[in-house]
Each structure stands twice: as C-alpha cells, then as structure tokens.
C-alpha cells in the first residue's frame, strides 16, 4: 500500500526502486540480527526485506498497465516467469553463502541474508536507471486516468463493490496462506529429519520453479478461459499438494519434491 501510494505521486519507476532499496536495508538489518542473536531485530529486518518482495509483486501490475485487457494475464505471466531463474537459484545459494559467511568470520546462517544485498541492490539500480520513460507514461489507454485524477483517493468500499474483487481476495488469501504455511514448515521438517541445507535448497527450488516457471502458461490459460476457472484449478492443485506433503515419508524424496512443486504451481494459477 505504501509503495502504491508512492507510485501514484512519483511514478512506477521510483516506487519499484524504493521498495528494492528498503529490501536491501532489511537484509543488512537481518544480517546484523544473526550476528547479535537478536530475534526482535530479525523480525524488523524481515519486514523490511518484504518491501523488496512487494516491489516484485507490483512489477507484475506495472506490466499489466502496459497491455490491453485481452493480454493482461499473459503480460503478468511473462513478468512472473522472469523471476524463475532467481527463484530457483536462490535457495541453492544458501549453502555456498553460508560458507562465504564463515570465511568472513560471520555466523553461517547470516550468509543467505548477504545474497539479497547484492541481487536486490542490483534490481534497485537497474529499475531506477532503465525504466525510462516511466512505465505509466506508456500505459494502455484503458489503464490510464486523466493526469488530474491521479491523486484522487479511492475508498476500500468502492473497490470491494466491484464484482470479482472479493472473489480475487479470497483466492489470494487462501492460496497464500496454504502455500506459505507448508513452504516455511518444510525446511524445518527436513532439518529435523537430518537433511542438510543443500537438500532443503533442492526441494525449495522445485517449489519456486512451480511458483514461477510455468507462469506464461498460466497467463495464456487465464486470457483464454477466464480468471474464475483458473483460480478454481489453482485451489484444487494446492489441495492435492497439501495432501501429498502430509503423506510424504520423513526421508522426503520424490513425493515431497512433487508436493512442493505442485504447491508452487497451484499458487501460481491462483
């Protein structure tokens, strides 16, 4: 919400770059929290890291602004697909980043927080330098409002009164809740059963590939069949993934990998 408010007043480029910069600050705070063994500081750091994720989320709708209505879902899918390489590679950087942290005299678990300092910082720099002119200036005419209306507030009640907005909110909350619940418990579950960071990274990479790798297909399906059938399909896939995750053996293996992949793709469809 804060970044959207900023984008209305300063443009999409400034808002996206600002979110990434705050995310880098959060990674620095989180690194310090691991060194100082401070849980409150870690919570502050992860909240700030979330701003970088918010910019990632909002970049999809920035892309949607540029496309006519019939191609908006495909445009969102293309931008989400662009995150695939980072999403799949990211979890596998946990182990080497931990070794780098140890070599620098830092705690091993501070290593993964060093990664976004580099990559999210690069995203901030590239967004600020290369998104010119501002994407809103190139937006499709069905996305634009008159310049004089750009700062007019829109009430939450008027947004909720739009026909499919409550349906979209329920779908987003449901998919996000189940996905995050299982995704965040899986590394703890695997660690409790003796798996190392490399094994955890492999399973989470399968999950993140499901979240992002097939996005263009999801976009095309949505443009062709409409949002509601694809949302329902996504919820069904998430439900199947939840069952598979619950029955997967403690050794993990193919069942857990498949469950996490389907969990990611169900979220993507939703």
């Amino acid at each position: 919400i804060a970044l959207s408010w900023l984008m209305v007043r300063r443009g999409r480029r400034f808002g996206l770059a600002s979110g990434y910069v705050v995310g880098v600050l959060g990674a620095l705070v989180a690194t310090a929290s691991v060194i100082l063994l401070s849980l409150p500081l870690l919570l502050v750091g992860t909240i700030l890291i979330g701003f970088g994720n918010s910019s990632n989320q909002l970049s999809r709708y920035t892309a949607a602004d540029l496309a006519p209505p019939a191609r908006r879902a495909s445009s969102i899918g293309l931008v989400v697909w662009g995150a695939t390489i980072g999403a799949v590679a990211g979890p596998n950087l946990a182990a080497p980043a931990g070794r780098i942290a140890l070599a620098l005299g830092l705690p091993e678990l501070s290593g993964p927080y060093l990664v976004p300092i580099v990559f999210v910082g690069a995203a901030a720099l590239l967004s600020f330098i290369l998104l010119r002119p501002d994407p809103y200036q190139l937006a499709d005419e069905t996305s634009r409002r008159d310049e004089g209306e750009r700062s007019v507030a829109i009430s939450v009640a008027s947004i909720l009164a739009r026909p499919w907005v409550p349906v979209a909110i329920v779908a987003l909350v449901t998919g996000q809740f189940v996905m995050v619940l299982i995704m965040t418990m899986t590394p703890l579950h695997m660690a409790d059963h003796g798996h190392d960071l490399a094994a955890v990274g492999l399973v989470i990479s399968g999950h993140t590939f499901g979240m992002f790798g097939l996005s263009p297909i999801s976009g095309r399906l949505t443009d062709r069949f409409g949002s509601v059938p694809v949302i329902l399909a996504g919820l069904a896939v998430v439900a199947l993934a939840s069952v598979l995750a619950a029955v997967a053996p403690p050794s993990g293996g193919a069942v857990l990998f498949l469950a996490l992949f389907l969990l990611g793709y169900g979220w993507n469809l939703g």
Side-chain angles (χ1 to χ4, degrees), residues 20 43 70 95 99 106 108 132 139 177 179 186-187 216 220 225-226 231 239 248 260:
Y20 291 134
L43 295 176
R99 291 193 292 270
L106 301 173
E108 181 183 17
R132 298 174 185 271
F177 176 82
M179 187 272 287
T186 297
R220 292 293 297 273
F225 298 109
I231 286 172
L260 269 290

Side-chain angles (χ1 to χ4, degrees), residues 5-84:
W5 180 89
L6 191 61
M7 287 182 187
V8 169
R9 287 152 183 80
R10 299 293 300 274
R12 306 296 196 253
R13 177 174 63 90
F14 189 84
L16 293 176
S18 297
Y20 291 134
V21 168
V22 175
V24 171
L25 176 62
L28 291 168
V29 172
T31 302
S33 75
V34 176
I35 296 171
L36 300 173
L37 301 177
S38 172
L39 178 60
L41 195 61
L42 177 64
L43 295 176
V44 172
T46 52
I47 288 172
L48 296 177
I49 288 172
F51 274 82
N53 187 50
S54 294
S55 279
N56 253 354
Q57 304 277 2
L58 290 168
S59 67
R60 307 166 187 182
Y61 304 106
T62 299
D65 276 347
L66 301 173
R71 290 182 30 241
R72 279 190 186 142
S74 295
S75 296
I76 292 175
L78 186 61
V79 173
V80 175
W81 175 78
T84 304

Side-chain angles (χ1 to χ4, degrees), residues 113-140:
Y113 292 109
L114 300 175
V115 175
I117 294 174
V118 176
F119 289 100
V120 179
L125 193 62
L126 291 172
S127 296
F128 191 75
I129 293 175
L130 297 181
L131 283 181
R132 298 174 185 271
D134 191 87
Y136 189 74
Q137 296 178 21
L138 305 175
D140 183 79

Side-chain angles (χ1 to χ4, degrees), residues 18-266:
S18 297
Y20 291 134
V21 168
V22 175
V24 171
L25 176 62
L28 291 168
V29 172
T31 302
S33 75
V34 176
I35 296 171
L36 300 173
L37 301 177
S38 172
L39 178 60
L41 195 61
L42 177 64
L43 295 176
V44 172
T46 52
I47 288 172
L48 296 177
I49 288 172
F51 274 82
N53 187 50
S54 294
S55 279
N56 253 354
Q57 304 277 2
L58 290 168
S59 67
R60 307 166 187 182
Y61 304 106
T62 299
D65 276 347
L66 301 173
R71 290 182 30 241
R72 279 190 186 142
S74 295
S75 296
I76 292 175
L78 186 61
V79 173
V80 175
W81 175 78
T84 304
I85 296 175
V88 173
N92 291 294
L93 295 177
R99 291 193 292 270
I100 292 173
L102 289 174
L104 295 173
L106 301 173
E108 181 183 17
L109 292 180
S110 69
Y113 292 109
L114 300 175
V115 175
I117 294 174
V118 176
F119 289 100
V120 179
L125 193 62
L126 291 172
S127 296
F128 191 75
I129 293 175
L130 297 181
L131 283 181
R132 298 174 185 271
D134 191 87
Y136 189 74
Q137 296 178 21
L138 305 175
D140 183 79
E141 60 181 13
T142 57
S143 294
R144 292 181 63 94
R145 289 181 287 161
D146 292 337
E147 291 300 310
E149 297 179 351
R150 288 185 64 183
S151 298
V152 176
I154 300 175
S155 70
V156 174
S158 67
I159 294 173
L160 292 175
R162 297 175 184 178
W164 292 111
V165 169
V167 176
I169 290 175
V170 170
L172 283 169
V173 170
T174 303
Q176 186 79 359
F177 176 82
V178 177
M179 187 272 287
V180 171
L181 175 68
I182 297 175
M183 178 188 72
T184 54
M185 285 305 298
T186 297
L188 299 176
H189 167 76
M190 293 182 69
D192 279 346
H193 288 282
H195 296 279
D196 59 16
L197 279 178
V200 173
L202 180 63
V203 170
I204 297 302
S205 288
H207 170 66
T208 52
F209 180 79
M211 288 177 66
F212 302 109
L214 304 179
S215 295
I217 297 175
S218 302
R220 292 293 297 273
L221 290 173
T222 304
D223 282 338
R224 180 166 182 177
F225 298 109
S227 298
V228 175
V230 177
I231 286 172
L232 293 175
L235 292 175
V237 173
V238 167
L240 173 62
S242 302
V243 173
L244 288 176
V247 302
S251 59
V255 177
L256 187 61
F257 184 90
L258 177 62
L260 269 290
F261 167 76
L262 291 175
L263 181 69
Y265 191 56

